[in-house]
Amino acid sequence: MPWLLVGIAFAAGLLAMAVAFHYYDRWAHPVDQNAVAGTTQPGVATSATVNPLAATPTGATIDALTLRETQLADRLAVIEARTAAVDGVSRAAAGNAARAEALLLTLSTRRTLDRGQPLGYLEEQLRVRFGARQPAAVGAILQAAKSPVTLEDLRASLDGVAPLLTSAAASEGWLASFRREMGGLIVIRHAGTPTTMPNDRLARARRALDAGQVEAALAEVTQMPGATSADAWITAARRYAGARQALDLLESVALQGDASRG
């Protein structure tokens, strides 16, 4: 019986030691329950996690987005307005440059014709820029350039045919010439009206040529009695005047910006 009690006491001691070893860590290092409560397992969401979008009211979010959209639209409108302004300036500059090029072309052509020189590369430029809309004018200029005539040429030619212009004896019969001479002895005209005497017409034609007025000189020459003897001069003068009229037309087209490229 005493040995039984000793055995029970010994077993109870072993049990007590086992319990003490099992709970030693918890007694020596107590765990903060608050910290344990705040710890989460990986991948597990807790009630302490705050969602920023969920914290923002839905109406306020829509208002903010609307305001942002309006601001972006205003900026886009400003950019489009600036782009349109720049595009307008660019087009105006391009139009002015085109007019300047066309006008320079006509001036160069006029100067070349006045010097009695061949057009060269200007001929192709005239066709490219003006040929589509003003083919007749371009044709008149190119035709005149094939046989260039200057004012000096017209003056010299007029002096050469002057005797024939003032006297039609070579082209008229003696009877017709006598009647014309007799009819010219007495001329009735209004005061201030230019005289129609051949010598006076010749003088006016020369003055007109000196002033560069070929059409006025041509009008005087064609009214003179020996005009049929000056067919070559009249043809050259008409070609000269026609080319300048065509150049005047092309200059007007260039200033209006109506010249076209190929």
Side-chain angles (χ1 to χ4, degrees):
M1 198 59 186
W3 292 102
L4 182 59
L5 294 175
V6 172
I8 293 172
F10 180 75
L14 292 176
L15 181 61
M17 289 179 64
V19 172
F21 277 112
H22 181 71
Y23 290 99
Y24 175 76
D25 290 337
R26 295 185 181 181
W27 294 340
H29 305 287
V31 180
D32 187 357
Q33 298 298 324
N34 293 330
V36 173
T39 304
T40 59
Q41 298 273 334
V44 179
T46 63
S47 60
T49 303
V50 180
N51 188 346
L53 294 179
T56 304
T58 304
T61 302
I62 296 177
D63 292 341
L65 292 176
T66 302
L67 177 61
R68 181 62 176 170
E69 183 180 357
T70 302
Q71 293 175 347
L72 292 177
D74 293 340
R75 292 182 182 179
L76 181 60
V78 171
I79 293 174
E80 290 178 349
R82 292 179 179 176
T83 302
V86 171
D87 183 63
V89 172
S90 299
R91 290 185 179 181
N96 291 334
R99 281 192 290 269
E101 290 178 1
L103 185 59
L104 180 61
L105 175 59
T106 59
L107 293 177
S108 298
T109 302
R110 184 183 295 274
R111 183 175 59 182
T112 302
L113 289 180
D114 289 344
R115 293 176 177 177
Q117 299 175 349
L119 293 179
Y121 73 96
L122 296 175
E123 181 175 339
E124 182 62 23
Q125 290 297 316
L126 287 171
R127 288 195 180 97
V128 170
R129 190 171 290 275
F130 297 102
R133 296 192 178 184
Q134 299 296 335
V138 172
I141 295 172
L142 298 184
Q143 184 65 29
K146 292 180 180 179
S147 300
V149 178
T150 66
L151 283 175
E152 291 298 329
D153 295 335
L154 293 177
R155 292 191 190 100
S157 298
L158 183 61
D159 291 339
V161 298
L164 298 177
L165 287 172
T166 56
S167 176
S171 58
E172 295 179 350
W174 68 268
L175 182 59
S177 178
F178 175 77
R179 290 176 177 175
R180 181 181 55 77
E181 293 292 340
M182 293 299 296
L185 292 178
I186 301 176
V187 178
I188 300 175
R189 57 185 178 86
H190 296 286
T193 302
T195 176
T196 59
M197 297 298 293
N199 289 332
D200 294 334
R201 286 187 180 278
L202 180 62
R204 289 196 298 270
R206 286 171 172 165
R207 288 195 298 270
L209 287 179
D210 291 338
Q213 300 173 356
V214 177
E215 293 180 359
L218 185 59
E220 295 291 349
V221 170
T222 54
Q223 295 299 320
M224 297 178 69
T228 55
S229 301
D231 288 340
W233 187 93
I234 293 173
T235 300
R238 285 174 176 170
R239 187 167 63 250
Y240 180 99
R244 272 62 187 181
Q245 290 175 355
L247 281 171
D248 292 340
L249 176 59
L250 295 189
E251 286 180 1
S252 177
V253 171
L255 289 174
Q256 295 173 3
D258 292 336
S260 62
R261 282 186 176 275

